[in-house]
Amino acid sequence: MERRAALGQMSWPELSEATVTLLVPLGATEQHGPHLPLDTDTRIAQAVAERVAALDHQSLNGPVTTVLTAPALNYGASGEHEGFPGTISLGHDALELLLLEFGRSACRWADRLLFVNGHGGNAGTLATAVRRLRYEGRDAAWFPCAFPAADAHAGHTETSVLLHFSPSAVTVSAAQAGNTAPVEALLPAMRTGGVAAVSANGVLGDPTGASGDHGAQLLDALVASLGAALVDWRVGESGRLG
């Protein structure tokens, strides 16, 4: 039987002679409105990482030939969502330490390490941690699961993506619009009161009318973008890939 490119399914001898790029899905456990699961960000990051790992990487830049997906990291910095039950946030300091120690350990045997980030609130901490890992001589990077023209949170974009690859997790009958104002206009209130201060249902956007077909287009484009970036492996000053 063909083995999937998943780290958790492998034994250590299979890795002893391998040159590896390790993809690490990083998400969050936080409210996503009344219609999406708490692990939405993790699901998206994992789906992207798994699909990229399944691509043909024969043309990877450098000696790396094996692309593996690590078990997902399910918690991040989600303090802005703590006004809603179910949210669990590590905070930025704990997340930075987690990423540093993860990277230091994984890079003892992995040639390259890429955090595939599904939660925008993790980005600043990721950049800090990855810059430190690179300063220490480790070939680490991060990549955001960002969709063009996306609404802010639990709206049309994320709902469409989940309807594509995880439709049973979406409670379509509970989907309802939240605050659809531009995020820039909401930031002052959010800085003091979090998302709950600007949206009673936790949604920033409008998930009604979301479709799996649209989600498939969004996910396919993101996978293609990360696949190309993985081949080139050009890391910016912030540690971001591509």
Side-chain angles (χ1 to χ4, degrees), residues 159-181:
T159 304
S160 293
V161 172
L162 256 68
L163 282 171
H164 165 53
F165 74 85
S166 193
S168 63
V170 182
T171 307
V172 175
S173 61
Q176 55 188 250
N179 195 327
T180 58

Side-chain angles (χ1 to χ4, degrees), residues 119-239:
H119 172 51
N122 296 336
T125 306
L126 257 175
T128 299
V130 169
R131 282 196 300 264
R132 177 64 179 271
L133 290 170
R134 293 186 64 80
Y135 175 79
E136 294 174 352
R138 298 170 175 89
D139 199 1
W142 66 281
F143 186 89
C145 294
F147 301 100
D151 45 11
H153 187 74
H156 188 275
T157 303
E158 288 184 314
T159 304
S160 293
V161 172
L162 256 68
L163 282 171
H164 165 53
F165 74 85
S166 193
S168 63
V170 182
T171 307
V172 175
S173 61
Q176 55 188 250
N179 195 327
T180 58
V183 174
E184 294 77 11
L186 304 177
L187 283 176
M190 288 176 58
R191 288 191 181 103
T192 57
V195 174
V198 299
S199 176
N201 67 359
V203 177
L204 302 178
D206 186 356
T208 61
S211 75
D213 288 342
H214 180 56
Q217 295 172 6
L218 292 171
L219 194 63
D220 287 348
L222 184 60
V223 168
S225 176
L226 177 50
L230 200 65
V231 170
D232 291 339
W233 196 259
R234 297 179 182 177
V235 184
E237 291 185 3
S238 71

Side-chain angles (χ1 to χ4, degrees), residues 5-235:
L7 176 64
Q9 297 175 9
M10 303 185 74
S11 62
W12 74 262
E14 294 176 274
L15 298 167
S16 61
E17 301 297 330
T19 51
V20 173
T21 289
L22 183 65
L23 309 183
V24 185
L26 173 63
T29 299
E30 64 181 37
Q31 73 83 20
H32 271 76
H35 63 294
L36 294 181
L38 294 164
D39 66 349
T40 289
D41 292 340
T42 306
R43 286 177 188 249
I44 292 174
Q46 187 163 359
V48 171
E50 288 178 349
R51 294 189 185 201
V52 169
L55 298 175
D56 180 4
H57 299 290
Q58 295 301 315
S59 58
L60 280 173
N61 184 10
V64 179
T65 58
T66 302
V67 181
L68 300 176
T69 304
L73 301 177
N74 295 290
Y75 301 96
S78 301
E80 69 274 21
H81 296 286
E82 287 186 316
F84 297 88
T87 298
I88 300 175
S89 175
L90 297 183
H92 294 287
D93 291 343
L95 178 60
E96 181 181 348
L97 183 59
L98 170 65
L99 297 173
L100 281 172
E101 293 303 326
F102 187 106
R104 288 164 177 164
S105 180
C107 287
R108 291 175 64 88
W109 53 268
D111 299 83
R112 286 175 174 168
L113 176 70
L114 179 67
F115 293 105
V116 180
N117 181 42
H119 172 51
N122 296 336
T125 306
L126 257 175
T128 299
V130 169
R131 282 196 300 264
R132 177 64 179 271
L133 290 170
R134 293 186 64 80
Y135 175 79
E136 294 174 352
R138 298 170 175 89
D139 199 1
W142 66 281
F143 186 89
C145 294
F147 301 100
D151 45 11
H153 187 74
H156 188 275
T157 303
E158 288 184 314
T159 304
S160 293
V161 172
L162 256 68
L163 282 171
H164 165 53
F165 74 85
S166 193
S168 63
V170 182
T171 307
V172 175
S173 61
Q176 55 188 250
N179 195 327
T180 58
V183 174
E184 294 77 11
L186 304 177
L187 283 176
M190 288 176 58
R191 288 191 181 103
T192 57
V195 174
V198 299
S199 176
N201 67 359
V203 177
L204 302 178
D206 186 356
T208 61
S211 75
D213 288 342
H214 180 56
Q217 295 172 6
L218 292 171
L219 194 63
D220 287 348
L222 184 60
V223 168
S225 176
L226 177 50
L230 200 65
V231 170
D232 291 339
W233 196 259
R234 297 179 182 177
V235 184

